[in-house]
Amino acid sequence: MTLSGIPLATSDLQVGDGGRKNSTMICAPLMADSVDQMLIQMRKAKELGADLVEVRIDSLKNFSSQRDLEILVKQCPLPTLVTYRPTWEGGQYDGDETSRQTALRLAMELGADYIDVELKVADEFYNSIKGKKPEKVKIIVSSHNYQNTPSIEEIGNLVARIQATGADIVKIATTALDITDSARIFQVLVHSQVPTIGIVMGERGLISRILCAKFGGFLTFGSLDEGVVSAPGQPTIKDLLELYNFRQIGADTKVHGVIGKPIGHSKSPHLYNAAFKSVKFNGIYLPLLVDSVANFLNTYSSPDFVGYSYTIPHKADGLKCCDEIDPIAKEIGAISCMIRRPNDGKLMGYNVDYLGAIGAIEEALGGSQGSVSPLSGKLFVVIGAGGAGKALAYGGMEKGARVVVANRTYEKAKELANKVGGEAITLAELEDFHPEEGMILANTTSVGMKPKTDLTPLSKKALSYYSLVFDAIYTPKWTRLLQEAQESGAKVVFGTEMFINQAFVQFERFTGLPAPKALIRETLAKNT
Ligand code: NAP
């Protein structure tokens, strides 16, 4: 199932929506032990910018239906969705069904705006409210699948069954085993005749929670605080509004992202979304937890999925999926950036990693003298032979340095060294490698990256032979390697510099506009 060529939902917005580009609401699920706590949460949800709250009655201890519901529904500063989720549908309520449905009916009579009823009991519930449902109350008939996301045919049947109950709003929540699972839910959102909530749970389903605004979803859920979620993979309201600019996502918004695994640590969404917003570019940039690059690209082949950054471990796989590759990326055997060419949809691959890193190292060495790089003639040791390693080694070669590659897998070091006319050594040999003073070191492995910040790829003792040390890692900014290099008297160059310089280049390729450099620097500083 692909998203190519499907019509996008048009927004149906009221005048006075403050520049919103979609009508998808943000709903804050409230999970509290007590009514008092829930009232505090309601006020917080409003302050944070939610459009409505989901009152999860099943989270309350000692729930007394009449009194508690009256307080919650009447005192809520936002529209209310009342949910009383039983354990058989993934909730916390394990009491008898009659009392549960009685409480839901009461919530309806008390003026709740939406009532969530599970598909399994929807007919029974509808029979019990025949002729009694207040006009303003909307019934959401929901189905939750905590195992997987079924095929498009099965989801289609499920939607039909939900619609047949008379549901005002359809809700389908499934579980992502792969990022491509969300595409089937997007299909449903686009084609559904009835307002529909379509959410794919789990980290691999994150895009469903954000792009539902593009595809016409009725609402998305946003948590009040990080880590306090009612379902796996839920973003915070703050992230939806500030990081992903949720209100500005429209049917015509162009989708970008960083493809990697893992990807949760990436700062790229902060940078690009802030930069897109600052120049009013109609684009979104997402963290994309991808298992198979080919599957991802084949599934999200619509012209609106336009630009990607590539990171570990997908840079070489990304290259294999390009229609055209720039010569440096081809030499390196890895891409860091992919653009869908607007006129023919062809996927173009680039490697811009080396531009950023080499530029930053040259600057720290005092800059070029005319056309001569300060790297020229220097002994340049690159640890790692992956995507970043190749970029640095090729960059060093281009600038006239004598390149030495050290890598855990020696064969890869040998292969890369041969290509750049350098020398290969093992990591063990690197410890005692000091043919001369004033060497330059570039770490391009992930050793020392968050969360394993106590690790370092080279001992402090060995660092004393280097005059400058660069670390490609940018989370954290001060890696153990850089701290120890500074203590040993070497100049240090942060991975953030490589990141920032290549971000400028990628921004320009994504948007065709000049990069807002100061803003990108500021955003990165705030988020590291
Ligand atoms: P990659 O292609 O997967 O390469 C990883 C490299 O690290 C390989 O050489 C691998 O050795 C080595 N390695 C991994 N774990 C190791 C360990 N435990 N001990 C020793 N060596 C190990 O990844 P990449 O894309 O080049 O990225 C590498 C690092 O650079 C990451 O930390 C990434 O965040 C960073 N990076 C930063 C920027 C930036 O803008 N600052 C840009 C790109 C990448 P084997 O060959 O033996 O597997």
Side-chain angles (χ1 to χ4, degrees), residues 9 20 35 112 135 171 177 218 431 492:
R20 281 174 70 154
V35 169
E135 183 94 358
K171 177 184 174 191
L177 302 182
F218 183 71
E431 280 295 324
V492 297

Side-chain angles (χ1 to χ4, degrees), residues 265 310-316 334-336 353 356-357 383-392 406-410 412-413 427 443-450 452 455 457 470-475 494-503 506:
H265 67 283
Y310 276 79
T311 186
I312 312 176
H314 290 320
K315 294 186 171 198
I335 59 164
S336 61
D353 281 346
I383 320 180
K390 286 174 183 155
L392 267 291
N407 193 43
R408 179 176 60 179
T409 311
Y410 177 70
K412 286 195 199 161
L427 287 183
N443 172 47
T444 69
T445 72
S446 45
V447 179
M449 186 165 97
K450 264 186 190 169
K452 295 187 181 164
L455 299 182
F470 162 77
D471 199 338
I473 293 171
Y474 59 91
T475 50
F494 299 108
T496 44
E497 283 307 303
M498 170 176 184
F499 182 69
I500 228 156
N501 283 330
Q502 52 89 20
Q506 289 201 57

Side-chain angles (χ1 to χ4, degrees), residues 2-8 191 301-303:
T2 76
L3 272 182
S4 52
I6 53 172
L8 297 175
H191 295 293
S301 59
S302 114

Side-chain angles (χ1 to χ4, degrees), residues 23 25 27 51-55 73 78-84 104 107-108 111-117 125 133 136-141 168-169 195 197 218-219:
S23 56
M25 294 190 288
C27 177
D51 298 298
L52 76 160
V53 295
E54 180 184 35
V55 177
V73 173
L78 289 169
T80 46
L81 152 58
V82 174
T83 300
Y84 201 178
L104 288 176
M108 190 180 82
D113 301 85
Y114 305 93
I115 305 288
D116 181 307
V117 180
F125 187 78
K133 183 170 96 82
K136 87 159 229 202
V137 180
K138 301 277 181 247
I139 307 286
I140 299 175
V141 176
D168 297 303
I169 296 152
I197 303 165
F218 183 71
L219 63 76

Side-chain angles (χ1 to χ4, degrees), residues 179-468:
I179 191 164
T180 56
D181 290 340
S182 294
R184 302 197 285 286
I185 295 297
F186 294 149
Q187 294 275 359
V188 169
L189 293 184
V190 167
H191 295 293
S192 182
Q193 307 298 314
V194 177
T196 299
I197 303 165
I199 296 292
V200 186
M201 297 179 280
E203 198 184 350
R204 286 172 171 76
L206 176 69
I207 69 170
S208 72
R209 297 180 177 276
I210 298 162
L211 294 184
C212 56
K214 175 176 172 68
F215 295 110
F218 183 71
L219 63 76
T220 194
F221 293 95
S223 66
L224 298 177
D225 297 298
E226 203 159 339
V228 188
V229 296
S230 66
Q234 213 167 69
T236 59
I237 298 170
K238 187 168 183 281
D239 276 354
L240 283 169
L241 290 174
E242 292 173 20
L243 170 57
Y244 298 115
N245 305 322
F246 190 79
R247 306 290 194 210
Q248 270 64 55
I249 300 172
D252 54 353
T253 296
K254 300 272 183 256
V255 181
H256 309 73
V258 51
I259 293 183
K261 182 184 171 184
I263 204 60
H265 67 283
S266 176
K267 302 295 173 205
S268 300
H270 290 271
L271 284 198
Y272 291 101
N273 285 320
F276 287 172
K277 192 176 181 180
S278 78
V279 301
K280 297 193 167 53
F281 176 72
N282 184 11
I284 171 122
Y285 188 100
L286 299 164
L288 302 167
L289 179 57
V290 167
D291 294 284
S292 156
V293 175
N295 257 353
F296 173 84
L297 293 170
N298 288 336
T299 303
Y300 297 103
S301 59
S302 114
D304 273 359
F305 285 71
V306 293
Y308 307 107
S309 312
Y310 276 79
T311 186
I312 312 176
H314 290 320
K315 294 186 171 198
D317 279 352
L319 179 120
K320 287 184 204 141
C321 296
C322 293
D323 296 307
E324 285 177 31
I325 307 161
D326 89 299
I328 292 173
K330 203 180 249 173
E331 274 295 321
I332 292 172
I335 59 164
S336 61
C337 176
M338 180 187 266
I339 308 286
R340 185 184 301 285
R341 203 160 53 193
N343 54 343
D344 58 5
K346 291 240 187 305
L347 295 172
M348 316 292 295
Y350 305 94
N351 196 312
V352 295
D353 281 346
Y354 81 103
L355 294 174
I358 294 290
I361 293 171
E362 286 182 323
E363 203 171 303
L365 289 173
S368 299
Q369 302 295 319
S371 61
V372 181
S373 162
L375 272 169
S376 174
K378 290 262 178 7
L379 199 60
F380 185 50
V381 178
V382 177
I383 320 180
K390 286 174 183 155
L392 267 291
Y394 272 95
M397 176 191 76
E398 219 179 58
K399 300 293 179 180
R402 291 170 289 139
V403 178
V404 173
V405 183
N407 193 43
R408 179 176 60 179
T409 311
Y410 177 70
E411 291 68 39
K412 286 195 199 161
K414 189 108 195 83
E415 198 184 323
L416 178 56
N418 281 343
K419 284 190 176 159
V420 298
E423 187 189 337
I425 58 174
T426 64
L427 287 183
E429 284 166 340
L430 180 63
E431 280 295 324
D432 292 315
F433 182 79
H434 43 82
E436 59 192 59
E437 300 277 324
M439 301 185 292
I440 296 179
L441 181 72
N443 172 47
T444 69
T445 72
S446 45
V447 179
M449 186 165 97
K450 264 186 190 169
K452 295 187 181 164
T453 52
D454 55 325
L455 299 182
T456 187
L458 191 61
S459 73
K460 188 171 177 185
K461 190 171 133 259
L463 287 176
S464 59
Y465 297 98
Y466 294 90
S467 60
L468 183 147

